[in-house]
Amino acid sequence: MSLGAVAASAEDLSEADVKRLALEAILENPEIVMQAVEILRQRDEQAKAEGAKTVLDQQRDLLERDPNAPVIGNPDGDVTVVEFFDYNCPYCKRAAPIVKGVIAGDGNVRVVYREWPILGEGSVFAARAALAARNQGKYEEFHWALMGLNGRANEASVMKAARALGLDEDKLRADMNAPEVDAHIQVSMSLARGLGFTGTPSFVIGDALAPGLIEQAQMEQLISAVRENR
């Protein structure tokens, strides 16, 4: 049969015929399905990697030097660790003492916090309250207090922690709705999407992306790699 005849024959197939032939092919060669899934997975991973590289190349300054993002550790440090987190994330709570340990052991590290409240209304309230606490000079203290909460962060538990730190509750509530608070959270969402992050905590250290909880030794290795590669 000529190629023209094959093409003409294919054009005569109905949608049902095509589906039947495809099903027959899959039944005869079931590995086709796994091959197709793997091809799609590889394409997805490649697209995510390319998207992350674009963010790192084009938005590095926003990621590491956003004046609207809280910084702890050494603000003039030579290596920046960016953490995306949520106060209701149990793994973020486990990461908190790890970050503290890194800062305590390395006086030349700056940590940029990206509030990324993705676990419900309580998380959003906590993130807004923490960002608002900057106007009273107590972001870091409040951050550690919220990370140390027993149970979920919600309006009641967050405001209780605020009162314990001597924060002005009325001012805090008013400042929670400030434009810079909205802007910080929106930028966090945008950057996280671009980097391909799907959960918290997620870290960016140099060109390395570390989604999920990492141990202190691993974080220190990534910091050292940034210095060695300069």
Side-chain angles (χ1 to χ4, degrees):
M1 181 181 295
S2 69
L3 290 176
V6 171
S9 177
E11 289 176 359
D12 292 337
L13 292 174
S14 67
E15 183 179 350
D17 290 332
V18 172
K19 289 181 179 179
R20 177 177 54 77
L21 290 172
L23 179 59
E24 289 176 358
I26 291 171
L27 291 174
E28 291 176 6
N29 302 281
E31 66 275 10
I32 291 175
V33 175
M34 296 308 297
Q35 291 171 356
V37 169
E38 179 61 18
I39 289 170
L40 291 173
R41 186 193 67 77
Q42 290 177 1
R43 287 179 180 174
D44 184 53
E45 289 298 319
Q46 182 179 355
K48 285 182 179 179
E50 291 173 353
K53 187 176 186 306
T54 297
V55 172
L56 292 174
D57 288 346
Q58 299 180 4
Q59 301 190 61
R60 173 79 66 180
D61 195 53
L62 179 62
L63 186 64
E64 296 185 349
R65 302 285 169 178
D66 180 4
N68 194 27
V71 177
I72 67 169
N74 182 352
D76 299 315
D78 68 332
V79 176
T80 298
V81 175
V82 182
E83 181 185 359
F84 292 76
F85 70 95
D86 183 305
Y87 287 112
N88 278 318
C89 165
Y91 297 102
C92 297
K93 290 178 181 289
R94 288 171 57 185
I98 292 172
V99 173
K100 269 189 176 180
V102 168
I103 293 172
D106 189 332
N108 214 17
V109 170
R110 60 193 300 273
V111 176
V112 173
Y113 277 135
R114 297 276 6 155
E115 301 269 355
W116 188 26
I118 56 176
L119 297 176
E121 292 182 6
S123 297
V124 174
F125 189 93
R128 286 184 170 279
L131 291 167
R134 293 180 295 181
N135 290 341
Q136 298 184 52
K138 292 192 174 183
Y139 175 86
E140 186 173 352
E141 293 174 74
F142 200 26
H143 170 79
W144 296 128
L146 295 180
M147 278 298 177
L149 287 176
N150 290 319
R152 288 188 62 80
N154 54 36
E155 182 173 354
S157 62
V158 168
M159 297 315 293
K160 181 179 179 181
R163 290 190 292 271
L165 286 176
L167 284 160
D168 182 321
E169 185 174 345
D170 290 338
K171 178 174 175 52
L172 189 71
R173 286 184 181 275
D175 291 342
M176 285 171 64
N177 296 312
E180 57 267 26
V181 171
D182 291 330
H184 176 95
I185 294 173
Q186 289 168 5
V187 169
S188 293
M189 297 289 183
S190 176
L191 288 172
R193 255 193 325 268
L195 292 166
F197 291 149
T198 57
T200 54
S202 289
F203 298 89
V204 182
I205 305 174
D207 289 333
L209 305 183
L213 179 67
I214 58 176
E215 297 300 328
Q216 183 170 334
Q218 184 181 355
M219 191 177 296
E220 289 169 346
Q221 288 173 359
L222 292 173
I223 291 168
S224 296
V226 173
R227 292 179 175 136
E228 291 168 2
N229 291 329
R230 284 177 176 158

